[in-house]
């Protein structure tokens, strides 16, 4: 009997060991239950405010998703993108990929202020970005996933990192793949995460060269469908109209689905970085075909790759801080 008791005690200790271990914030693990005790309503609050913002303006879903991506690719998912310039900090908002382009900061402010009322200095801005990206995906019809939590916020920003590490629309396929690999992401992640361009807009300035002068010879990009190009030229002239907006996926611009990949196969990817997925590399071409044929497969992989991206170099334990205001360090 005594033996049985000691076995049961040992077994129950083993069974709960992972929970206790996860509870140590200094262990460096992210896990979905991180705020279950310290701020049980955290996810509900984020979801509610994101839903309100997306109901008001559908484009906001893509903007919030992109903030998380542009955050994670610069020194990891640490909310450095949210910092305004002050003192020694030069804001990443000034970088080429973000200037006149990154948006949704007011929505993040609103979420942060609601969370500060509910549980002061508990939920990080970095985790808010990760949750808002997931909620935006779901609200537009995309997949859901459990978001690992426990990131902390950076005490600095990197303008040079933002300029150099974020893939650009006119980068070559190889450059884009290299930028993904530097973050520990692979070609499968690259193609799946590019699928986020199933929602949102791009500015004329980010694809103009494809319409008029792709290779410096005054000729349009020959991998771009001619009738689609003619349509785009009407709103994106040779000069002027830089900020004019175009749907990244003209078939279902506000619905998160796999039509982005079908467009690429029809030579109707908007950005050069979209179209090269099917023209410059066989492995990525195969993935584009797979996702175009199978929406469930795309959703599955997108969710996996988002978790992987959200795990890029988080600050945990005693590193970083929990900002009271996402725009400035404490």
């Amino acid at each position: 009997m005594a033996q049985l008791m000691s076995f049961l005690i040992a077994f129950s200790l083993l069974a709960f060991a992972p929970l206790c271990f996860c509870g140590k914030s200094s262990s460096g693990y992210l896990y979905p239950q991180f705020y279950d005790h310290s701020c049980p309503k955290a996810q509900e609050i984020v979801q509610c405010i994101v839903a309100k913002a997306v109901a008001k303006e559908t484009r906001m879903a893509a903007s919030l998703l992109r903030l998380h991506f542009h955050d994670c690719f610069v020194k990891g998912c640490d909310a450095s993108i949210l910092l305004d310039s002050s003192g020694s900090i030069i804001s990443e908002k000034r970088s080429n990929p973000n200037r006149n382009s990154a948006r949704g900061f007011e929505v993040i402010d609103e979420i942060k202020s609601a969370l500060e009322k509910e549980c002061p200095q508990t939920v990080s801005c970095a985790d808010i970005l990760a949750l808002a990206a997931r909620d935006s995906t779901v609200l537009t019809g995309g997949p859901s996933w459990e978001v690992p939590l426990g990131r902390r916020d950076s005490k600095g920003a990197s303008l040079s990192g933002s300029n150099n590490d974020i893939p650009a629309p006119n980068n070559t396929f190889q450059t884009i793949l290299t930028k993904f690999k530097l973050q520990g992401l692979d070609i499968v992640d690259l193609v799946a995460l590019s699928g986020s361009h199933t929602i949102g807009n791009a500015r004329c300035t980010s694809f103009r060269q494809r319409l008029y002068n792709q290779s410096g010879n005054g000729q349009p990009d020959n991998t771009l469908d001619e009738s689609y190009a003619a349509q785009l030229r009407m709103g994106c002239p040779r000069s002027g109209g830089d900020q004019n907006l175009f749907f990244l996926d003209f078939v279902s611009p506000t619905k998160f689905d796999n039509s982005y990949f079908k467009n690429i196969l029809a030579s109707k990817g908007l950005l050069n970085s979209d179209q090269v997925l099917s023209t410059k590399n066989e492995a990525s071409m195969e993935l584009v075909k797979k996702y175009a044929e199978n929406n469930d497969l795309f959703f599955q992989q997108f969710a996996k790759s988002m978790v992987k991206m959200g795990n890029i170099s988080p600050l945990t334990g005693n590193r970083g801080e929990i900002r009271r205001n996402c725009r400035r360090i404490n």
Side-chain angles (χ1 to χ4, degrees):
M1 186 66 190
Q3 266 182 318
L4 178 65
M5 280 306 289
S6 59
F7 168 75
L8 285 173
I9 290 165
F11 177 75
S12 63
L13 282 174
L14 270 177
F16 292 106
L19 295 176
C20 305
F21 185 59
C22 278
K24 292 182 187 167
S25 63
S26 59
S27 65
Y29 285 103
L30 302 180
Y31 55 100
Q33 300 79 18
F34 191 84
Y35 298 111
D36 281 8
H37 299 293
S38 59
C39 194
K41 286 190 178 161
Q43 301 208 32
E44 192 186 316
I45 289 169
V46 175
Q47 202 270 335
C48 179
I49 294 171
V50 172
K52 192 178 71 173
V54 172
K56 196 169 138 192
E57 184 199 18
T58 319
R59 181 187 172 207
M60 188 52 73
S63 303
L64 293 171
L65 185 50
R66 187 165 179 257
L67 277 184
H68 182 44
F69 171 50
H70 282 207
D71 179 36
C72 291
F73 264 65
V74 183
K75 302 198 312 157
C77 311
D78 60 0
S80 59
I81 192 172
L82 302 177
L83 290 171
D84 289 336
S85 295
S86 71
S88 61
I89 294 168
I90 304 171
S91 176
E92 292 171 18
K93 296 174 186 180
R94 292 185 184 182
S95 71
N96 293 326
N98 294 332
R99 199 174 53 241
N100 299 326
S101 170
R103 58 198 295 280
F105 299 108
E106 295 75 15
V107 178
I108 302 300
D109 291 339
E110 192 184 335
I111 295 169
K112 183 60 174 165
S113 104
L115 286 168
E116 284 301 302
K117 279 197 191 90
E118 178 72 21
C119 17
Q121 248 186 306
T122 304
V123 182
S124 68
C125 302
D127 278 346
I128 292 172
L129 285 173
L131 288 167
R134 188 269 314 271
D135 294 341
S136 296
T137 303
V138 174
L139 284 162
T140 46
S144 186
W145 60 92
E146 277 206 310
V147 180
L149 300 164
R151 301 166 191 79
R152 288 165 66 86
D153 300 324
S154 71
K155 294 181 184 178
S158 174
L159 182 66
S160 62
S162 190
N163 274 321
N164 299 321
D165 300 344
I166 296 170
N170 56 352
N171 281 158
T172 64
F173 177 83
Q174 204 42 60
T175 300
I176 296 168
L177 183 58
T178 300
K179 287 180 176 182
F180 269 75
K181 284 185 169 167
L182 285 171
Q183 306 294 350
L185 302 171
D186 59 26
I187 194 165
V188 178
D189 302 312
L190 161 57
V191 178
L193 293 172
S194 297
S196 62
H197 285 180
T198 172
I199 54 173
N201 303 23
R203 297 171 300 153
C204 162
T205 177
S206 55
F207 61 85
R208 176 185 278 125
Q209 89 286 348
R210 297 192 73 203
L211 302 178
Y212 302 103
N213 189 17
Q214 175 69 349
S215 324
N217 58 1
Q219 294 301 306
D221 184 344
N222 62 7
T223 67
L224 181 62
D225 176 83
E226 281 181 29
S227 63
Y228 182 46
Q231 224 176 323
L232 294 171
R233 282 189 201 99
M234 288 163 65
C236 185
R238 269 179 199 275
S239 64
D242 282 11
Q243 308 299 322
N244 293 354
L245 292 174
F246 295 78
F247 292 129
L248 284 158
D249 164 9
F250 70 95
V251 174
S252 54
T254 58
K255 188 170 190 300
F256 199 103
D257 59 20
N258 66 341
S259 57
Y260 165 82
F261 297 105
K262 295 174 184 174
N263 296 343
I264 291 176
L265 292 178
S267 303
K268 293 177 181 177
L270 182 61
L271 305 177
N272 181 67
S273 53
D274 297 324
Q275 200 56 55
V276 293
L277 297 180
S278 75
T279 57
K280 299 294 182 194
N281 179 286
E282 204 148 315
S284 86
M285 167 71 159
E286 284 311 308
L287 288 162
V288 169
K289 281 183 185 164
K290 271 185 187 166
Y291 299 150
E293 282 163 18
N294 189 334
N295 194 57
D296 290 343
L297 185 69
F298 163 48
F299 276 20
Q300 244 174 328
Q301 187 54 55
F302 184 80
K304 263 189 216 160
S305 295
M306 282 297 287
V307 170
K308 197 169 161 189
M309 183 181 82
N311 277 327
I312 299 171
S313 314
L315 298 171
T316 55
N318 304 319
R319 297 187 308 146
E321 63 180 13
I322 306 295
R323 284 184 217 143
R324 285 188 286 269
N325 175 336
C326 291
R327 293 173 182 264
R328 50 181 175 266
I329 58 174
N330 292 341

